[in-house]
Short mmCIF file of all heavy atoms in Angstrom, two decimals:
data_model
loop_
_atom_site.label_atom_id
_atom_site.label_comp_id
_atom_site.label_asym_id
_atom_site.label_seq_id
_atom_site.Cartn_x
_atom_site.Cartn_y
_atom_site.Cartn_z
N PRO Q 191 -21.43 14.95 6.43
CA PRO Q 191 -21.70 16.31 6.91
C PRO Q 191 -23.17 16.48 7.31
O PRO Q 191 -23.98 15.58 7.10
CB PRO Q 191 -21.38 17.18 5.70
CG PRO Q 191 -20.90 16.27 4.61
CD PRO Q 191 -21.29 14.88 4.97
N THR Q 192 -23.48 17.63 7.84
CA THR Q 192 -24.86 18.01 8.10
C THR Q 192 -25.68 17.83 6.83
O THR Q 192 -25.22 18.16 5.73
CB THR Q 192 -24.93 19.50 8.52
OG1 THR Q 192 -24.23 19.63 9.75
CG2 THR Q 192 -26.36 19.98 8.67
N TYR Q 193 -26.91 17.34 6.97
CA TYR Q 193 -27.80 17.16 5.81
C TYR Q 193 -27.94 18.50 5.06
O TYR Q 193 -28.19 19.54 5.68
CB TYR Q 193 -29.18 16.66 6.26
CG TYR Q 193 -30.12 16.51 5.10
CD1 TYR Q 193 -30.03 15.39 4.28
CD2 TYR Q 193 -31.05 17.49 4.79
CE1 TYR Q 193 -30.87 15.24 3.18
CE2 TYR Q 193 -31.89 17.36 3.69
CZ TYR Q 193 -31.79 16.24 2.89
OH TYR Q 193 -32.60 16.10 1.78
N GLY Q 194 -27.74 18.47 3.77
CA GLY Q 194 -27.92 19.68 2.96
C GLY Q 194 -26.65 20.48 2.74
O GLY Q 194 -26.64 21.44 1.97
N LEU Q 195 -25.57 20.11 3.42
CA LEU Q 195 -24.35 20.91 3.27
C LEU Q 195 -23.66 20.67 1.93
O LEU Q 195 -23.00 21.56 1.39
CB LEU Q 195 -23.40 20.61 4.44
CG LEU Q 195 -22.25 21.57 4.67
CD1 LEU Q 195 -22.73 23.02 4.70
CD2 LEU Q 195 -21.53 21.25 5.97
N VAL Q 196 -23.82 19.46 1.39
CA VAL Q 196 -23.27 19.18 0.06
C VAL Q 196 -24.44 18.82 -0.86
O VAL Q 196 -25.30 18.01 -0.50
CB VAL Q 196 -22.25 18.01 0.11
CG1 VAL Q 196 -21.72 17.71 -1.29
CG2 VAL Q 196 -21.11 18.32 1.06
N SER Q 197 -24.44 19.42 -2.02
CA SER Q 197 -25.54 19.22 -2.97
C SER Q 197 -25.69 17.76 -3.38
O SER Q 197 -24.71 17.08 -3.66
CB SER Q 197 -25.29 20.07 -4.22
OG SER Q 197 -26.20 19.72 -5.23
N ARG Q 198 -26.95 17.31 -3.46
CA ARG Q 198 -27.23 15.95 -3.93
C ARG Q 198 -27.50 15.92 -5.43
O ARG Q 198 -27.79 14.86 -5.99
CB ARG Q 198 -28.45 15.39 -3.20
CG ARG Q 198 -28.22 15.12 -1.72
CD ARG Q 198 -29.47 14.61 -1.03
NE ARG Q 198 -30.49 15.65 -0.90
CZ ARG Q 198 -31.62 15.67 -1.58
NH1 ARG Q 198 -31.93 14.70 -2.40
NH2 ARG Q 198 -32.48 16.67 -1.43
N ASP Q 209 -29.99 11.21 2.46
CA ASP Q 209 -28.80 11.10 1.60
C ASP Q 209 -27.83 12.25 1.86
O ASP Q 209 -28.22 13.42 1.80
CB ASP Q 209 -29.19 11.17 0.11
CG ASP Q 209 -29.84 9.90 -0.42
OD1 ASP Q 209 -29.83 8.87 0.28
OD2 ASP Q 209 -30.37 9.94 -1.56
N CYS Q 210 -26.58 11.91 2.11
CA CYS Q 210 -25.53 12.92 2.30
C CYS Q 210 -24.30 12.52 1.50
O CYS Q 210 -24.06 11.33 1.29
CB CYS Q 210 -25.12 13.02 3.77
SG CYS Q 210 -26.31 13.88 4.77
N SER Q 229 -18.97 21.96 -0.35
CA SER Q 229 -20.16 22.39 0.40
C SER Q 229 -20.74 23.71 -0.12
O SER Q 229 -20.11 24.43 -0.88
CB SER Q 229 -19.78 22.54 1.87
OG SER Q 229 -18.68 23.41 2.00
N GLY Q 230 -21.94 23.98 0.35
CA GLY Q 230 -22.57 25.27 0.07
C GLY Q 230 -23.84 25.15 -0.76
O GLY Q 230 -24.18 24.08 -1.27
N ARG Q 231 -24.54 26.27 -0.86
CA ARG Q 231 -25.83 26.27 -1.56
C ARG Q 231 -25.65 25.98 -3.04
O ARG Q 231 -24.67 26.39 -3.66
CB ARG Q 231 -26.53 27.61 -1.38
CG ARG Q 231 -27.36 27.68 -0.09
CD ARG Q 231 -28.32 28.85 -0.11
NE ARG Q 231 -29.22 28.78 -1.26
CZ ARG Q 231 -30.29 28.00 -1.34
NH1 ARG Q 231 -30.61 27.23 -0.32
NH2 ARG Q 231 -31.04 27.99 -2.41
N ASP Q 232 -26.63 25.27 -3.58
CA ASP Q 232 -26.60 24.91 -5.00
C ASP Q 232 -28.01 25.09 -5.54
O ASP Q 232 -28.95 24.47 -5.03
CB ASP Q 232 -26.15 23.44 -5.13
CG ASP Q 232 -26.15 22.94 -6.57
OD1 ASP Q 232 -26.33 23.77 -7.49
OD2 ASP Q 232 -25.97 21.73 -6.77
N ASP Q 235 -30.16 21.97 -6.03
CA ASP Q 235 -30.69 21.16 -4.93
C ASP Q 235 -31.24 22.12 -3.87
O ASP Q 235 -30.49 22.75 -3.14
CB ASP Q 235 -29.57 20.28 -4.35
CG ASP Q 235 -30.00 19.51 -3.09
OD1 ASP Q 235 -31.17 19.68 -2.64
OD2 ASP Q 235 -29.18 18.76 -2.55
N THR Q 237 -32.55 21.69 -1.13
CA THR Q 237 -32.34 21.39 0.29
C THR Q 237 -30.95 21.82 0.77
O THR Q 237 -30.61 21.61 1.93
CB THR Q 237 -32.51 19.88 0.59
OG1 THR Q 237 -31.52 19.14 -0.13
CG2 THR Q 237 -33.88 19.37 0.22
N THR Q 238 -30.14 22.39 -0.11
CA THR Q 238 -28.78 22.77 0.32
C THR Q 238 -28.81 24.00 1.22
O THR Q 238 -29.72 24.83 1.13
CB THR Q 238 -27.85 23.03 -0.89
OG1 THR Q 238 -28.51 23.89 -1.80
CG2 THR Q 238 -27.45 21.74 -1.57
N ILE Q 239 -27.78 24.09 2.07
CA ILE Q 239 -27.65 25.22 3.01
C ILE Q 239 -26.32 25.93 2.78
O ILE Q 239 -25.41 25.38 2.14
CB ILE Q 239 -27.74 24.73 4.48
CG1 ILE Q 239 -26.68 23.65 4.76
CG2 ILE Q 239 -29.13 24.20 4.79
CD1 ILE Q 239 -26.59 23.22 6.22
N GLU Q 240 -26.21 27.15 3.33
CA GLU Q 240 -24.96 27.90 3.21
C GLU Q 240 -23.86 27.18 3.99
O GLU Q 240 -24.12 26.58 5.03
CB GLU Q 240 -25.11 29.30 3.83
CG GLU Q 240 -26.03 30.25 3.09
CD GLU Q 240 -25.58 30.57 1.67
OE1 GLU Q 240 -24.40 30.31 1.31
OE2 GLU Q 240 -26.43 31.07 0.92
N GLY Q 432 -30.09 14.33 10.81
CA GLY Q 432 -29.44 15.29 9.91
C GLY Q 432 -28.18 15.93 10.47
O GLY Q 432 -27.69 16.93 9.94
#
Side-chain angles (χ1 to χ4, degrees):
T192 296
Y193 179 79
L195 195 49
V196 179
S197 169
R198 291 178 290 110
D209 285 349
C210 285
S229 55
R231 274 195 57 79
D232 177 9
D235 174 359
T237 62
T238 49
I239 56 174
E240 292 298 345

